[in-house]
Amino acid sequence: MKIAVDAMGGDFAPEAIVEGVVMAASELPSNVSIVLIGRQSVVEPLLLKQGGNHAGQIELVDASEVIDMGEHPTKALSQKPNSSIGVGFKLLKEKAVDAFCSAGNTGAMHVGALFSIKSIEGVLRPCIAGFVPQITGGHAVMLDIGANADCKPEMLAQFGEIGSLYAQYTFGIDRPRVALMNIGSEEQKGSLIAQAAHQLLKDNNRINFIGNMEGNEFFAGKADVIVADGFTGNALFKLGESFYTMASKRNISDEFLDKTNYESVGGSPILGVNGNVIIAHGVSSPLAIKNMVGLAIRQVEANAYVKIAQAMS
């Protein structure tokens, strides 16, 4: 198994990325290696400083260009084919690697996935999934958390099915509980779009739909899959992440709040595409990068995108 990591993506790249990759390499199973993509003249000295390639478990692939965080995704990908993101998706498309991870330009990662490995046939809109810690243990899969700010009811209903399949195969949950984020528990609550999505989810006998959930149930362990449009999902997800930051600033130590720290999982997968793509925070630390590699390994082992493709066909 090969996990590709963009060495040049992120606010603290390449130093934080290289350090995180080396941390991950020290714990890798023998059948897993990391392909680090970036400017060789810059990355190689950092890798040597961190102790080298860890008995051949880190391979360096040169990429002469970098897509900056503020660049237009589509233009940047077309104008910079030798960027670390461009090269990463080329390797993923050719199946030279099993997953591609980056803390770089989120838009470029999303567009790159759509242009290279493409959407799974039957998927209306690929989405980004986040992992919400639950007080009962584990995480709920929340989708979408930012790729699709405006969603039709059919898209929300499909997010429920995609999330259910992902939770089933990645986390081993039999019949994951699917809930729709709304402003009330009753069926008739919410916008016209939410009401229509509720009916579609309710009518889908392939999922275990348990109805609406409200914001005060976000961490309560009510659902294994939380469905939301990208605008709502992103706002809620980032609010949840802020709890750890606020607790740290106030010198509060709490086991559950520690799980809201973005570093604990390290990344968010793009679901609904023909491959394993993980996006990390732009501010990712070495620990976040290490955990992102772990998430990528778990996702490859689950083969979730293939299961989703089979269900959508």
Side-chain angles (χ1 to χ4, degrees), residues 31-42:
N31 66 323
V32 180
S33 62
I34 298 173
V35 178
L36 194 56
I37 305 167
R39 287 176 175 156
Q40 188 167 354
S41 61
V42 175

Side-chain angles (χ1 to χ4, degrees), residues 90-107:
K90 182 176 182 291
L91 293 174
L92 187 62
K93 181 181 179 180
E94 294 172 349
K95 299 190 181 300
V97 298
D98 299 288
F100 177 43
C101 311
S102 175
N105 187 308
T106 299

Side-chain angles (χ1 to χ4, degrees), residues 131-135 138-139 218-219 237 239-265:
F131 303 101
V132 183
Q134 302 295 295
I135 57 172
H139 291 78
F218 194 52
F219 300 116
F237 194 72
L239 174 65
E241 288 182 332
S242 73
F243 292 169
Y244 172 78
T245 304
M246 291 302 298
S248 297
K249 287 180 178 178
R250 297 175 69 85
N251 295 316
I252 297 171
S253 179
D254 180 87
E255 184 179 356
F256 177 76
L257 291 180
D258 287 348
K259 295 176 183 177
T260 65
N261 179 8
Y262 81 93
E263 294 175 313
S264 65
V265 175

Side-chain angles (χ1 to χ4, degrees), residues 94-146:
E94 294 172 349
K95 299 190 181 300
V97 298
D98 299 288
F100 177 43
C101 311
S102 175
N105 187 308
T106 299
M109 286 295 290
H110 197 252
V111 172
L114 295 178
F115 282 3
S116 60
I117 55 176
K118 304 187 185 304
S119 300
I120 290 171
E121 186 177 354
V123 170
L124 299 172
R125 290 281 184 87
C127 56
I128 301 174
F131 303 101
V132 183
Q134 302 295 295
I135 57 172
T136 52
H139 291 78
V141 181
M142 184 175 190
L143 60 172
D144 185 14
I145 63 163

